[in-house]
Amino acid sequence: MIELKHISKVFPTAEGELHALTDVTLTIGDGDVYGIVGMSGAGKSTLVRCINLLERPTSGQVLIDGADLCAMGQKELIAQRRSISMIFQQFNLLMQRTCLRNICFPMEIAKVKKADAEKRARELLDVVGLPDKADAYPAQLSGGQKQRVAIARALASDPKILLCDEATSALDPKTTRDILRLIKDINKRLGITVVVITHEMAVVEEICTHVAILDHGRVMETGTVEEVFSNPQTEAGRRLVYPDGVHIAQLPAAKVIRIAFNGGSSYEPLIASLAIDCGVKVNILGADTRNVNGQAFGTMLLGLPEDPPEAAKAVAYLKNQPNITMEEVRDYHG
Amino acid sequence: MDKFFADFSEMLANPKYFNEFAFGIWETLYSTVIATAVAYLLGLVLGVLLIMGERGGIRPLPGPLMKVLNFVINIVRSVPFLILMLCVLPLSMVLLGTKIGTPASIPPLIIAAAPFIARLVETSLRELDKGVLEAAQAMGCTTWQIVSKVMVPECLPSLISSFTTAFITILGYGAMAGAIGGGGLGKIAINYGYNRYNYAVMLVAVVLIVILVQIFQSIGSRLAARLDKRLASGGRRAFKKQIQRDKQIPGAM
């Protein structure tokens, strides 16, 4: 279990102090795939670097299975780091070593016997689907292949935690999906806790079980992906979940409500049945729906009819639908 | 002009000159090799210290220490070589018991070249992507492991290039040392050309120096390119090898 307790990080700069992280508290359970999302500059990379102490927090505690990393000496810290692997946006492979020797590297520094290390490295090349690239140099590989080698290298030390810092941000959409699938597969098969740093909500949807939304160095909300995606509680959350915004249409409407789909088995033709069942026509002012793990999530912004009884009828109807929550939008400026 | 041709034919006729050139080449080579080897070792250590010890480096050293290190390197680098050599010759006296001759020129060459090499090494090591160092730290490398297994091997092609530059610079310094008692081709050129107006001998000595420089530069450049696995040519070579291996496996495409 990873526990971050009241982490703050302040960088001194020429213009004064830069508060990269402010009082961040997170708990990441064993076996979770935990997404940390935020706009660029939100402090995501700094936060993930606090987990293996590449960045030392200005204050706060980093507990891995109850042990405080900040209180450790250099030796203990190095031992801890060998059980926390990390992959990067730019892969960071050793360019003068073959793939096989790249994967051997973490074992080499941990003084594993060379023959054993090579055997393990070949197994890992199989795991990541590159059995024929043992003797290739990174310069000969595509981006996706490089990241696979980096993942194999990350697994070489039998880590309990895998940190992914924008690991798919330099890859094309298809390769991104393949790499995410591989990470998810590794999480399921080996039970490794995965922390995913990203600015792309699609990545979170694809693999994460839990998510924390970071904005200006503060955690705005946390929860399961289902909770946060179906009904983001904060402005920062809404901005990330519905980046195109819900204020789209400019239609006359007396009263505006937001309904959120909380994971019904599929998209019910809700608006059509509303019209058929109670004869009420509503305007769809905006909608953003998505599919997470086979369930429907998203919101719709509906303009209710001006006639109050009609509007009440619609509200009553929507209230009775399963897997839908509803709220009135008072500050709708169309 | 007539004197030049007369000198030239005399030089060709007299085997004394041949022996002198051969011995000059030998003196130039061994003094350059020894001085470069020792100076490069010192420069490598200093260069690594400069990179790892700076603020934000992998093992920051106390600021004042880094300032002193930088200051000393800059001072030694800015003293003209001949003057530096005069200053260091007493050290040769202590170490070797003499101030003249080829061996005596080696300690000044080392001291003059080491700070210059430290800067070359610093530049080479700076090419290394910070992300790679970060990855190594994240994997739990000790400082020594980062230096010996990441920094130096990853920058090897560039370090070989800087070694070549250092070798050639020291060869040039060695020739200058000929003016104040050093041996080798530089001494021949100065003794005959400057002191006795025998430009034919001077010309040959200079041409020999040029040839040596050309040889070592092309060896160094080729070695650096061959060892660099980031380059397309090196990569292609490795790739071809792999294809050949694949062909040898029966049944494999």
Side-chain angles (χ1 to χ4, degrees), chain A residues 49 52 54 78 81-82 84 88 92-96 105-106 108-109 111 132 135 137 139-140 153, chain B residues 131-132 134-135 137-142 145 149-150 153-154 157 227-230 235 239 242 245:
Chain A
R49 278 164 178 71
N52 58 8
L54 282 179
I78 280 176
R81 277 179 178 166
R82 287 179 184 168
I84 307 172
F88 303 85
N92 294 340
L93 296 172
L94 299 166
M95 299 303 281
Q96 307 291 357
F105 187 77
E108 196 177 312
I109 60 170
K111 311 238 157 55
D132 54 337
D135 297 323
Y137 286 92
Q140 297 165 266
R153 180 176 73 174
Chain B
V132 173
E134 195 178 36
Q137 282 177 301
M139 279 187 267
C141 282
T142 59
Q145 281 171 331
K149 288 179 184 289
V150 179
E154 282 294 294
L227 288 176
D228 196 347
K229 307 305 182 192
R230 292 171 303 179
F239 192 58
Q242 201 187 337
R245 258 202 307 278

Side-chain angles (χ1 to χ4, degrees), chain B residues 128-152:
Chain B
L128 184 59
D129 194 332
K130 281 240 187 293
V132 173
L133 291 177
E134 195 178 36
Q137 282 177 301
M139 279 187 267
C141 282
T142 59
T143 306
W144 171 242
Q145 281 171 331
I146 292 180
V147 171
S148 64
K149 288 179 184 289
V150 179
M151 270 191 177
V152 172

Side-chain angles (χ1 to χ4, degrees), chain A residues 229-255:
Chain A
F229 272 53
S230 64
N231 204 358
Q233 297 297 314
T234 59
E235 193 48 47
R238 276 192 286 273
R239 230 179 17 242
L240 280 162
V241 178
Y242 311 114
D244 299 329
V246 270
H247 311 286
I248 299 169
Q250 190 165 15
L251 289 166
K255 197 175 172 192

